[in-house]
Amino acid sequence: MKQLGKLIAYFLIFSVLWACKSSKNSSTAPPQRELGEETPALSEKQLPEKPLAKVPVMLQPLPFAMPEMPREFRGVWIATVVNIDWPESGTDSWEKQKADFLSLLDHYKKLNFNAVIVQVRTAGDAFYPSRYAPWSRYLTGKEGKAPTTTENPLTWMINQAHQRGFEFHAWLNPYRATFDDKINLLSKDHDFYLHPDWMLKYGSKYYYNPGLPEVREKFVGVIQELVSNYDLDAIHFDDYFYPYKIGNQVFPDQKAFGQYKKPGQSIDDWRRENVNHLIEAVHQTIKKSKPWVQFGISPFGVWRNQDKDPKGSPTRAGQTNYDDLYADPLTWMKNGWIDYLIPQLYWSLDYDLASYRKLNDWWSINNFGTHIYIGNGPYKIRDNADKAWDNPREINNQIHYSRTLPSIQGNAFFSAKSLYSKNQDVAKLLQQELYDRPTLPPAFEPKSTSIIETPAVLLVEATEDWTKIMLEKPLDPAIRYAMIQGADELTELAEAEIHTVWVGGTRARQLEVSSLHSNYLAVRWIDHYGRIVQTQVFQTPKKTRP
């Protein structure tokens, strides 16, 4: 019993001592803090001998709803054929060509544009290394000669456009083989020499014969190469299908017609079918490889005149898509072969033969669920027999009208220099009155359901020079870019400058922008289809602010 009593006594003494120690430790422990709250400053006696490593602060989204971003396509065509817009000369150094391209991009960024349509194939050539075409002389001064740089020009252009928040639409001419009859300027690797049986001369140019299946197969290969190798947002064709008709000349494709026509088929219907086959094949090639890459076409502005077809527009155009170019945009839209259409309406609002106003009305009705943007022609300002173009407000008036039609979702402008080196007063009016704030291009819905993992922001760090946003895990590859805004007041976030960070499937774990110096941060995550996956608003931890 004595031994048991001693054990009990020792146990009681030990318990009392342990309780006292626990109480003492408890009194010096820091109080619990809310997530993101600053740690209280330590007294000098509590400071460790060596400074502790900085521990990033985890963030939680605030329950604050950002307004919807407005949507409107704002594109510009950058024509490279005969150096219309860029480069200024094929003999310029690559460094000068880069500087000139960036100057164009920065100009249109200031005008709040959101898409560039860059011509990467002008006439059987290429502005990128290709198995299917020689280097363009409009880039290097001599066809077939590679640029004097280790950079891929197209990769570089796409990256620079994306860094500024532009969609990059690669513009190609399918059937134009030469721009003139100076065949001595062509590379020996041009199809003119490799496949002379594909060539048809009409006027002063040579064309690929649209009636040959092997021509279509070759061009589908061109598209596959581009879509597979580059982070494109769209493939784009303009209005050159069968060539515009030349008086008293017949397009010399009768041999192919005799070989490939169906019984009882007219040559006009056969030609339209040839173009339809190409459009369908290109669509299938794009969507099989990367379904989020858009396919868009900017046809001549008149489908058919009413005197030829009661379904046509109230116009008297000298040539039309259907009857002269053998292009049928209505069929493409009905079949879902294209994602957007940009009819080229390069006429003034009330031009007698083809009114911009009436054609807007017609295309807004005949859209078949396809996104319709309008092609505008500022190149005509103060340079056209139609005196309506002497008014520097003609472009603004046109866009005002297009915006009254809900089916019209934006505009594109031909060409880049017409609102850059020329007509700067018109560009200023456009920016001040209509393009005074940024917009997102229209979004598209995938054909099949896609599940995208929502990004999770762990922390933000900042210096005087940069702000870094770190993520819990790599981004879903379907995330295309982030739009980041910073402001000291929540109510100011929506109007703050937008910083675009393009990630494009890189599975990034960290984003970096120039330092925002702000109390609040908003991040919009946008996927390949242009949809906003999520918008998150955070209070920037004080420790991270410069």
Side-chain angles (χ1 to χ4, degrees), residues 68-73 409 439-443 526 529-532:
E68 284 292 319
M69 277 286 292
R71 298 272 185 174
E72 183 178 54
F73 187 83
Q409 297 173 282
T439 64
L440 286 173
I526 300 171
Y529 295 92
R531 303 174 301 173
I532 296 177

Side-chain angles (χ1 to χ4, degrees), residues 218-245:
K218 169 72 178 276
F219 196 68
V220 166
V222 170
I223 299 300
Q224 181 66 64
E225 180 182 60
L226 272 171
V227 174
S228 297
N229 295 336
Y230 297 96
D231 186 18
L232 300 172
D233 302 291
I235 292 291
H236 181 92
F237 294 172
D238 59 14
D239 53 319
Y240 292 106
F241 293 97
Y242 278 80
Y244 285 87
K245 288 183 177 177

Side-chain angles (χ1 to χ4, degrees), residues 134-322:
W135 285 99
S136 175
R137 68 177 181 267
Y138 305 124
L139 178 67
T140 68
K142 181 179 180 181
E143 188 167 284
K145 177 186 174 182
T148 55
T149 176
T150 58
E151 289 182 297
N152 182 326
L154 181 53
T155 300
W156 180 84
M157 287 190 287
I158 293 169
N159 288 341
Q160 293 301 320
H162 283 169
Q163 287 175 22
R164 289 159 177 79
F166 290 113
E167 288 188 346
F168 190 99
H169 297 226
W171 165 19
L172 302 89
N173 293 104
Y175 294 131
R176 186 170 62 200
T178 71
F179 191 75
D180 48 39
D181 57 4
K182 298 176 182 177
I183 58 174
N184 60 304
L185 298 179
L186 300 178
S187 163
K188 295 304 178 184
D189 293 325
H190 191 285
D191 283 330
F192 179 86
Y193 292 108
L194 298 179
H195 301 284
D197 54 317
W198 293 1
M199 298 294 135
L200 297 175
K201 188 175 184 184
Y202 187 61
S204 61
K205 299 181 177 70
Y206 285 89
Y207 296 87
Y208 289 87
N209 188 342
L212 301 180
E214 51 268 39
V215 166
R216 183 164 61 249
E217 291 168 9
K218 169 72 178 276
F219 196 68
V220 166
V222 170
I223 299 300
Q224 181 66 64
E225 180 182 60
L226 272 171
V227 174
S228 297
N229 295 336
Y230 297 96
D231 186 18
L232 300 172
D233 302 291
I235 292 291
H236 181 92
F237 294 172
D238 59 14
D239 53 319
Y240 292 106
F241 293 97
Y242 278 80
Y244 285 87
K245 288 183 177 177
I246 301 172
N248 301 318
Q249 291 194 34
V250 177
F251 190 70
D253 61 348
Q254 288 73 28
K255 181 180 177 181
F257 172 61
Q259 184 176 358
Y260 293 107
K261 69 178 179 178
K262 294 176 182 177
Q265 189 176 36
S266 71
I267 192 168
D268 287 3
D269 287 339
W270 174 75
R271 287 171 175 169
R272 279 187 285 270
E273 185 177 67
N274 292 332
V275 175
N276 288 344
H277 283 325
L278 176 70
I279 301 306
E280 182 181 18
V282 168
H283 168 262
Q284 291 175 346
T285 300
I286 294 170
K287 301 305 179 181
K288 184 178 180 180
S289 180
K290 293 179 180 176
W292 57 86
V293 173
Q294 303 165 42
F295 182 26
I297 299 178
S298 55
F300 181 71
V302 178
W303 175 65
R304 300 192 84 183
N305 294 320
Q306 272 183 353
D307 64 351
K308 287 285 186 75
D309 190 322
K311 297 190 298 293
S313 55
T315 51
R316 291 179 287 126
Q319 299 198 46
T320 67
N321 277 294
Y322 188 92

Side-chain angles (χ1 to χ4, degrees), residues 336-450:
W337 294 338
I338 57 175
D339 297 296
Y340 69 79
L341 195 80
I342 313 181
Q344 298 176 19
L345 306 189
Y346 300 159
W347 300 287
S348 58
L349 268 169
D350 298 302
Y351 183 61
D352 183 48
L353 299 180
S355 159
Y356 179 92
R357 189 189 311 273
K358 292 178 180 178
L359 282 165
N360 266 256
D361 294 344
W362 191 88
W363 285 107
S364 71
I365 294 169
N366 294 279
N367 64 77
F368 301 97
T370 302
H371 288 209
I372 301 291
Y373 317 134
I374 298 299
N376 299 77
Y379 72 94
K380 286 189 171 182
I381 294 171
R382 292 183 281 259
D383 189 19
N384 195 263
D386 179 2
K387 294 304 179 183
W389 289 106
D390 291 343
N391 179 5
R393 305 192 69 87
E394 175 67 20
I395 288 293
N396 276 28
N397 292 340
Q398 291 186 0
I399 298 171
H400 270 302
Y401 187 76
S402 295
R403 284 181 172 180
T404 67
L405 304 169
S407 297
I408 306 298
Q409 297 173 282
N411 299 77
F413 300 84
F414 186 84
S415 67
K417 71 179 182 182
S418 64
L419 290 174
Y420 173 66
S421 56
K422 296 170 60 180
N423 304 316
Q424 294 182 13
D425 58 332
V426 178
K428 187 175 181 180
L429 284 172
L430 179 64
Q431 196 276 332
Q432 287 178 340
E433 297 181 3
L434 298 174
Y435 287 7
D436 56 326
R437 58 179 298 181
T439 64
L440 286 173
F444 293 82
E445 287 300 321
K447 300 296 183 184
S448 57
T449 304
S450 60

